[in-house]
Amino acid sequence: MSKFINPRLGRLETYVPGEQPKDQQYIKLNTNELPYPPSPEVIARVNAAQVADLRLYSDPTCGGLVEKLARQYDVAPENVFVGNGSDEVLNFAFACYCRAGAAFADLTYGFYGVFAELYGIDADIKPLRDDFSIDPADYMNVGKAVVIANPNAPTGLVLPVETIEAIVRSNPDHVVIIDEAYVDFGATSVVPLTKKYENLLVASTFSKSRALAGARVGFGIGNEALIRDLNRIKFTTNPYNINRLSLVAAEAALDSQAYFDEKDRLVAQTRASATAALRALGFETTDSMANFIFAKSDRIGGGDLYRQLKARGILVRHFDTARIKDFVRITVGTPAEMDALLGAINDILNSLD
Ligand code: PMP
């Protein structure tokens, strides 16, 4: 850090992304990417002509993509904001709506706490119950913004739509941000409720269910006044926030939704079989509706398991946080990748005997 940095910024704790080591080829089950490639349509449309067009700025309104998202989610284009990953949507939402503070879980997406610090927001941390479920009562009428990942990360647990609606209804003077990064793997979206409630903002992404993590495209859906707010921040920071190739890729992804629906179903099937196999090996797991499994063995700590899997060429995510240090979060890969994982875990457990 330089001596020139604003000391307040110099003290910020940064978000730590999952590792992306280059030293060898790993089976990568640590950052919740889809294990399947983007659709053939995406791969065909991002072509040499698109690269040649990179001399031109991208569309600052993301007009084509906004139109397609509006059609897909049955809302108006004025209800859609496109961000550089849903991280940017969340970033702008924290900037806009959390002056009175923000309530979110102790175990949830780590970036919420980082944004809260960045903007000097009072973080009202609500501990999950012992079984890692959210207690909805914690979020009723809280007098500040609410941020909930649904499904939550790293647990994969889901709140029913009616519960989210009750939380939104009980906080009419504050924005409730529902982060649906993992919704397409079996949960139900609350996007339809955005038509009914002016204080509901849904954040979502092309990074997980649409296999475009590297393209960095996310979106927010909400009342048109909320969308204007997010655009206000965008047009005061980075008007060309989505590059041309990513816009092309994301539009093509929406044109091949059937392909992704099939892959997402396959992930859900693989999640069920891998979860059953882990339970048969004595693991405790949450009932994840996301594309990851949150699992703990009483025979080996999470950190040890993470290290031993890495030594065998398999990356999973371990969080060194008191409440969940015994767990690992395992992204659902292909059936073959999960077989390799289960084989490795079996070996590791046998080596303990
Ligand atoms: N929300 C949650 C709950 C996540 O786990 C992630 C992935 N790190 C994101 C949002 C951000 O994803 P992206 O910026 O790639 O859309």
Side-chain angles (χ1 to χ4, degrees):
M1 187 176 333
S2 83
K3 64 184 181 187
F4 306 108
I5 190 170
N6 173 329
R8 197 186 78 75
L9 298 181
R11 281 192 297 272
L12 292 178
E13 253 184 63
T14 58
Y15 176 71
V16 184
E19 63 190 321
Q20 310 276 2
K22 299 280 178 276
D23 58 327
Q24 65 170 83
Q25 190 81 17
Y26 287 94
I27 294 180
K28 239 186 126 283
L29 305 175
N30 68 328
T31 45
N32 299 342
E33 292 128 334
L34 202 72
Y36 304 105
S39 66
E41 181 86 13
V42 171
I43 291 167
R45 277 209 237 160
V46 180
N47 59 24
Q50 300 295 343
V51 175
D53 278 349
L54 284 178
R55 72 182 182 82
L56 301 167
Y57 279 108
S58 58
D59 173 4
T61 71
C62 304
L65 180 56
V66 162
E67 288 275 341
K68 278 195 203 295
L69 280 166
R71 221 169 303 137
Q72 170 138 352
Y73 286 91
D74 188 28
V75 294
E78 292 73 25
N79 300 119
V80 179
F81 174 80
V82 175
N84 193 288
S86 52
D87 281 340
E88 189 174 63
V89 181
L90 295 165
N91 179 359
F92 292 179
F94 269 84
C96 285
Y97 303 124
C98 301
R99 220 161 61 112
F104 53 88
D106 60 339
L107 300 174
T108 190
Y109 184 34
F111 231 134
Y112 305 156
V114 174
F115 288 137
E117 257 197 78
L118 172 63
Y119 295 115
I121 290 161
D122 175 33
D124 181 4
I125 305 296
K126 308 288 190 187
L128 298 178
R129 295 176 177 132
D130 286 347
D131 64 358
F132 296 136
S133 62
I134 285 175
D135 183 350
D138 286 345
Y139 298 91
M140 298 294 178
N141 192 18
V142 281
K144 62 194 77 168
V146 168
V147 190
I148 295 175
N150 198 50
N152 196 13
T155 62
L157 295 180
V158 165
L159 279 182
V161 169
E162 308 76 61
T163 306
I164 292 177
E165 181 165 12
I167 292 170
V168 173
R169 217 183 307 121
S170 81
N171 291 286
D173 297 325
H174 295 279
V175 174
V176 174
I177 301 161
I178 302 297
D179 177 350
E180 294 193 343
Y182 300 104
V183 78
D184 294 334
F185 300 103
T188 305
S189 173
V190 295
V191 163
L193 294 181
T194 60
K195 295 183 185 189
K196 202 165 153 193
Y197 298 99
E198 64 175 3
N199 63 323
L200 172 61
L201 179 69
V202 178
S204 198
T205 184
F206 284 76
S207 294
K208 320 290 181 183
S209 61
R210 298 182 180 97
L212 286 177
R216 312 305 304 128
V217 187
F219 54 99
I221 297 184
N223 175 276
E224 58 184 83
L226 296 182
I227 299 308
R228 274 199 300 273
D229 298 338
L230 299 179
N231 273 310
R232 171 176 289 273
I233 308 299
K234 160 173 153 163
F235 282 94
T236 50
T237 52
N238 187 13
Y240 306 103
N241 63 335
I242 315 293
N243 73 73
R244 296 182 72 93
L245 299 182
S246 294
L247 285 174
V248 170
E251 285 192 45
L254 292 181
D255 289 340
S256 38
Q257 192 59 44
Y259 168 93
F260 292 103
D261 288 346
E262 189 215 313
K263 298 300 182 221
D264 298 345
R265 263 196 307 276
L266 189 51
V267 166
Q269 273 168 24
T270 311
R271 176 183 68 210
S273 52
T275 300
L278 283 166
R279 286 179 179 165
L281 287 173
F283 278 77
E284 181 190 310
T285 70
T286 55
D287 286 322
S288 171
M289 293 299 274
N291 66 337
F292 51 80
I293 300 167
F294 195 51
K296 154 182 133 163
S297 163
D298 56 11
R299 299 182 57 205
I300 183 166
D304 261 351
L305 182 56
Y306 154 78
R307 278 184 291 278
Q308 295 205 36
L309 284 171
K310 186 170 179 182
R312 287 169 164 80
I314 300 175
L315 287 179
V316 297
R317 188 101 197 242
H318 176 247
F319 298 94
D320 210 1
T321 307
R323 256 189 106 173
I324 53 171
K325 66 175 179 15
D326 293 339
F327 283 78
V328 289
R329 191 197 67 192
I330 304 164
T331 302
V332 177
T334 62
E337 287 173 328
M338 298 317 267
D339 285 347
L341 169 89
L342 290 160
I345 289 180
N346 213 6
D347 283 352
I348 292 167
L349 293 180
N350 285 336
S351 72
L352 300 174
D353 296 336

